[in-house]
Amino acid sequence: MKKFFQENWKGIAMLIVAGFIMPTFVCNNCLHSLGLYLKVGLLNAVMWIALWMGNDRLGCLIDTKISWIERPVTRFLIGIVSTTLYTIGIIYIILYIFDWVFQLHLLGNNLGDTFQIAIVITFIISFFMHSRTFLLNWKQAIINSEILKKENIAAKYESLKNQVNPHFLFNSFNALSNLVYEDQDKAVSFIKQLSEVYRYVLDTRDKEVVTLEEEKKFLDSYLYLQQIRFGDKLKLEVKLDGVKSMVAPLVLQMLVENAIKHNIISEENPLTIRVYCQEDFLVIQNTLQKKTIMLEDSPGIGLDNIQKRYEFLSDKKVEVIQNDMFTVKLPIILESK
């Protein structure tokens, strides 16, 4: 309430002035009695401030429950009904209080006219307020959509760059060449999984979110390649069965790849990566054993990109926790109906 007055004191001051000017035009008896003039002026000021503040707070409350963008017609109808009910109720209460305090006898034959005038004025003001709110929300939705598209393009580029770069191709084909001599059946499986990785990247290039089931299937293909490459030196634990969520494409793979890229993986220091669900988050966690010398630049673009994308996909933020483990927690996104 205090914040509202601080932000809108100019508007409140204008309503008070308008309230005390109005009796000059609508109350003939007020021109012959200063006391009556002040009482009616105070009544007008209190009434318009109460209507403005109440309808403003009511509109904000409804906005948190019903989106102008997703359900504009429902939002408009509920706004009209709530404005009408609130206007009638608050006017009656204010008139009753002024009748009791100042003995103005307002709750008489002119009550219907008073309600009618107040509702018409309130509707006019509410119409402009609702129109303004709708346009602002619509404009912000367009801006957010454009920003999200740019972030998605950056994510696709980052993932493709990491996968197609010489290191990725060299490691994949090196592992494949060994398999061709050692285990031809496994080599065929390796090629199939490698093709699945690239197919998924191409299939999701235009999507903002995918199902967790799709992302997990892609992650399994990617992890298969890494397991062939590192063997027992890479320990993987993925427990996402039964978890329902939407995710930004490629995020699980990017986080797993970051863990592999930035940590030591050896017989003495095997790397453990866990992917599981905890409350309202998908958790990607790995043992922290950083490389002392990085062969590639590491600006942290991948993680930063994921955090920015989730700002537009969820009200909750991506959490990053670093102690003896490195943990990233992605908010679960429920599938829209």
Side-chain angles (χ1 to χ4, degrees), residues 9 54-55 81 90 114 162 172 175 180-181 206 313 319 329:
W9 66 270
N55 281 304
V81 172
I90 198 64
T114 302
N162 287 338
S172 297
V180 168
Y181 293 104
D206 296 323
L313 296 174
E319 298 182 14
K329 302 174 70 175

Side-chain angles (χ1 to χ4, degrees), residues 39-150:
K39 292 174 184 178
V40 174
L42 179 62
L43 170 65
N44 290 329
V46 170
M47 187 178 296
W48 298 129
I49 291 173
L51 288 173
W52 178 33
M53 290 179 58
N55 281 304
D56 178 75
R57 295 296 91 191
L58 188 61
C60 291
L61 178 62
I62 297 174
D63 285 340
T64 62
K65 306 295 182 181
I66 305 173
S67 170
W68 272 109
I69 305 302
E70 297 176 1
R71 301 164 65 190
V73 176
T74 302
R75 173 63 183 83
F76 177 76
L77 293 176
I78 291 180
I80 291 296
V81 172
S82 61
T83 295
T84 302
L85 295 177
Y86 174 78
T87 299
I88 294 174
I90 198 64
I91 289 176
Y92 187 89
I93 292 172
I94 291 174
L95 292 179
Y96 182 85
I97 292 174
F98 270 76
D99 259 5
W100 179 63
V101 175
F102 297 113
Q103 300 298 316
L104 294 179
H105 305 292
L106 298 170
L107 296 174
N109 296 328
N110 296 326
L111 181 60
D113 294 336
T114 302
F115 279 143
Q116 197 173 51
I117 293 171
I119 290 174
V120 169
I121 294 176
T122 301
F123 273 150
I124 293 173
I125 296 173
S126 295
F127 174 78
F128 286 105
M129 289 177 62
H130 290 330
S131 299
R132 179 177 177 273
T133 303
F134 172 76
L135 289 174
L136 289 175
N137 278 271
W138 179 65
K139 179 181 178 181
Q140 188 60 47
I142 294 176
I143 293 173
N144 289 348
S145 177
E146 290 301 317
I147 293 175
L148 184 56
K149 286 179 182 178
K150 292 180 181 178

